[in-house]
Amino acid sequence: MRFFKLLGLVWIIFLVGCAAQQKPIAVESSFFKDSGKSIGIIRTSAPTAATGYTGSIGLLDYAIISAVNSGLDEYLAKLTFPEYESFITDLTNSIEKTGLDVTLINEPLTEDEVKNLKTPKEGVSQNDFSKYKEKYGLDYLMLINFKTIGTVRSYYGPVPTSEPLATSFITGQIIDLSTNKLSWYSDINIQKTIPSPWDEADSNYPNLTNSIYQSQNDAFRTIKSELKILKAEIEAKHKESK
């Protein structure tokens, strides 16, 4: 089972680095100024932290690398990410302050729904989210998809060719539920250097762990920056003061 999970993680990283992706779409500055719009916010669950690998690696190499990193993977799998829930709450509150009608959909997407998510093409979502439009009376849906978190390291065969990096990968999108067109899309792939020493198993990898959490928080800050939420909040407050 561990072997097949490993192949899945390697495949995810391969896709992030190599596959043709939907180009980023910047949100229009006017988006959060239309108080007549309703938007729902939904997210995936936080992923289980794990090691990921890139490079020229064969099937036997995967098995060797997996065995060598089994202790680190066991440790990473125990990490929790309560900051993710706090971020979603903060994001919801920030958007509410702009005047939009916001609905936080408290149930994350199920595992099956996540597996069936398709990458947008040419600025159009390839998924059917009409049930949220009907159930909550929404004009737009914001989807935050927390795909991976942990470390990534390059290999040539079973031999590492770099030190591991802390990484967090999140995609975000805003979908017009009437047309399925995207008003915002971003692949946020944060990688951070881990200070030496990183391999301190006896003390629960303090440098590595801190770097992973920093990568997560940097990803959250990037989302708020791209959405121009802080600017929108300030403008909304300025209007209220007039």
Side-chain angles (χ1 to χ4, degrees), residues 5-139:
K5 288 182 179 179
L6 171 62
L7 289 180
L9 288 168
V10 174
W11 180 243
I12 287 171
I13 292 172
F14 174 79
L15 289 176
V16 171
C18 302
Q21 299 288 317
Q22 164 67 45
K23 293 180 180 179
I25 298 174
V27 67
E28 294 289 337
S29 58
S30 60
F31 183 86
F32 294 103
K33 296 179 181 179
D34 185 356
S35 59
K37 288 198 291 267
S38 60
I39 185 170
I41 300 176
I42 194 166
R43 78 283 189 192
T44 61
S45 298
T48 300
T51 55
Y53 317 114
T54 62
S56 179
I57 310 171
L59 292 177
L60 180 58
D61 303 324
Y62 287 138
I64 296 171
I65 295 169
S66 175
V68 171
N69 288 306
S70 61
L72 176 56
D73 270 311
E74 288 177 6
Y75 168 75
L76 291 176
K78 297 175 183 178
L79 295 180
T80 58
F81 302 98
E83 298 86 357
Y84 182 37
E85 291 293 329
S86 299
F87 164 70
I88 294 297
T89 299
D90 181 51
L91 189 62
T92 302
N93 292 337
S94 294
I95 295 175
E96 283 181 335
K97 290 178 183 177
T98 69
L100 268 64
D101 181 10
V102 184
T103 299
L104 176 59
I105 301 171
N106 284 316
E107 291 296 326
L109 294 179
T110 65
E111 288 187 14
D112 286 340
E113 288 173 326
V114 172
K115 289 177 183 177
N116 290 325
L117 286 177
K118 300 175 183 177
T119 302
K121 294 181 180 178
E122 299 179 354
V124 178
S125 172
Q126 303 301 302
N127 300 286
D128 182 8
F129 293 114
S130 58
K131 67 178 183 180
Y132 298 109
K133 176 181 175 64
E134 297 166 1
K135 183 175 181 178
Y136 297 100
L138 302 175
D139 299 313

Side-chain angles (χ1 to χ4, degrees), residues 186-207:
S186 184
D187 283 322
I188 299 159
N189 188 17
I190 303 294
Q191 294 186 345
K192 298 187 73 68
T193 300
I194 302 171
S196 296
W198 67 266
D199 190 10
E200 298 176 286
D202 292 342
S203 52
N204 288 330
Y205 304 93
N207 290 334

Side-chain angles (χ1 to χ4, degrees), residues 3 19 28 49 55 97 112 118 131 156 180 185 206 214 217:
F3 177 69
E28 294 289 337
K97 290 178 183 177
D112 286 340
K118 300 175 183 177
K131 67 178 183 180
Y156 184 79
N180 258 23
Y185 183 83
Q214 287 171 13
N217 293 335

